[in-house]
Amino acid sequence: MSSRRELLLEEMGLTPLWRLRKGQADSGVSAAEAQEVPAAARRGTAAAPASPPIAIDADERSANIARMEWPELRASVAACTACGLRKTCTQTVFGVGDEQADWLLVGEAPGAEEDARGQPFVGQAGKLLDAMLEGIELKRGEDVYIANVLKCRPPGNRNPEAPEVAQCAPFLRRQVELIQPRLILAMGRFACQTLLDTDSSIATLRGRVHRYQGVPLIVTYHPAYLLRTLQDKAKAWEDLCFARSTMKGSH
């Protein structure tokens, strides 16, 4: 396979998997040792013909992720190269908190500090989020799980691109399935628009109960935005109170 084709497949998240020759899987022969077969053939040992690469399509990849439990899901995110973001970020940011939480908070993508520390919502935005949670008697790590739409930081904190979202979406869907939250709080325009598959503004989405995978979802502003736009902190507080009352009403 040409290097150009290999790069194209890698960018599409379709890095080929190679079939092992008959008997190789059970014999413990490494990939490097397998490459010596042609030399053996020249010494009179017949070599089996090379098998063509098997590409995993998007549906099969999503189905595989949908069967993963927490340990395998974490490892899969850490090793993912389905889009180009892993090449430019420091590390993946999987998510943190109670894996059986009633509340799931979803942001858009890691920033510089999240990328450096491997956790979502740290730094000043994280401190503001912790204060917001405390205001409705919640605490990070206790009955709350925090994740992002993307697990890798886009360069320069730019907005995620559609192909990047498509590759990362199965991970978030599986997190929701494993956590089974009673309510999702989507924070920031990009997270809200992505989860609800809409281009509507936060202003038009606020104050209503939406749904993502059957789970009630409420939208609000991202803490980083609130640090720049202080006048909207009151609106964010209204959203939190609405979320709390929605949660109480779901008992």
Side-chain angles (χ1 to χ4, degrees):
M1 179 183 297
S2 68
S3 59
R4 177 181 176 83
R5 179 170 173 78
E6 288 178 348
L7 290 173
L8 178 61
L9 289 174
E10 182 177 351
E11 290 298 326
M12 295 175 64
L14 301 177
T15 304
L17 299 178
W18 297 87
R19 278 200 191 97
L20 298 177
R21 295 186 176 90
K22 183 177 181 181
Q24 183 181 328
D26 296 329
S27 66
V29 178
S30 68
E33 292 170 329
Q35 294 175 357
E36 295 299 321
V37 171
R42 289 194 296 270
R43 294 192 296 269
T45 303
S51 299
I54 304 172
I56 299 179
D57 64 24
D59 290 339
E60 183 178 353
R61 177 175 179 269
S62 294
N64 288 340
I65 293 173
R67 292 190 290 268
M68 293 179 181
E69 297 300 326
W70 282 114
E72 189 179 4
L73 187 64
R74 287 179 181 276
S76 183
V77 168
C80 181
T81 57
C83 75
L85 291 181
R86 188 65 186 90
K87 298 176 183 178
T88 59
C89 71
T90 303
Q91 59 187 314
T92 55
V93 180
F94 182 79
V96 295
D98 182 353
E99 294 177 354
Q100 297 179 318
D102 285 341
W103 292 70
L104 172 61
L105 279 55
V106 180
E108 55 183 49
E113 291 193 65
E114 287 81 5
D115 179 56
R117 296 170 56 178
Q119 293 190 17
F121 289 94
V122 296
Q124 292 303 311
K127 291 179 181 178
L128 176 57
L129 176 60
D130 291 345
M132 293 166 64
L133 292 174
E134 186 178 354
I136 56 172
E137 300 178 340
L138 293 175
K139 187 176 181 180
R140 181 189 293 253
E142 297 179 10
D143 206 35
V144 174
Y145 195 92
I146 306 174
N148 284 314
V149 171
L150 290 192
K151 311 305 184 190
C152 293
R153 178 198 180 199
N157 289 356
R158 64 162 170 76
N159 285 335
E161 298 176 354
E164 297 162 353
V165 174
Q167 295 290 358
C168 224
F171 293 129
L172 181 60
R173 284 198 297 268
R174 184 54 179 160
Q175 285 178 304
V176 174
E177 291 168 355
L178 289 171
I179 296 168
Q180 297 185 353
R182 291 174 52 212
L183 186 138
I184 297 173
L185 187 64
M187 297 177 291
R189 177 180 62 83
F190 185 84
C192 298
Q193 292 178 343
T194 299
L195 294 181
L196 297 178
D197 191 21
T198 180
D199 58 2
S200 299
S201 66
I202 290 182
T204 60
L205 296 172
R206 291 179 59 245
R208 291 184 286 145
V209 178
H210 308 271
R211 289 193 175 269
Y212 175 76
Q213 291 188 211
V215 181
L217 182 150
I218 290 172
V219 308
T220 191
Y221 299 100
H222 195 285
Y225 166 82
L226 295 175
L227 291 173
R228 304 188 302 268
T229 316
L230 300 181
Q231 63 270 24
D232 282 341
K233 281 188 175 182
K235 296 178 182 178
W237 175 245
E238 291 175 1
D239 297 334
L240 289 178
C241 291
F242 177 52
R244 181 175 58 181
S245 64
T246 300
M247 178 70 81
K248 290 181 178 179
S250 66
H251 277 293

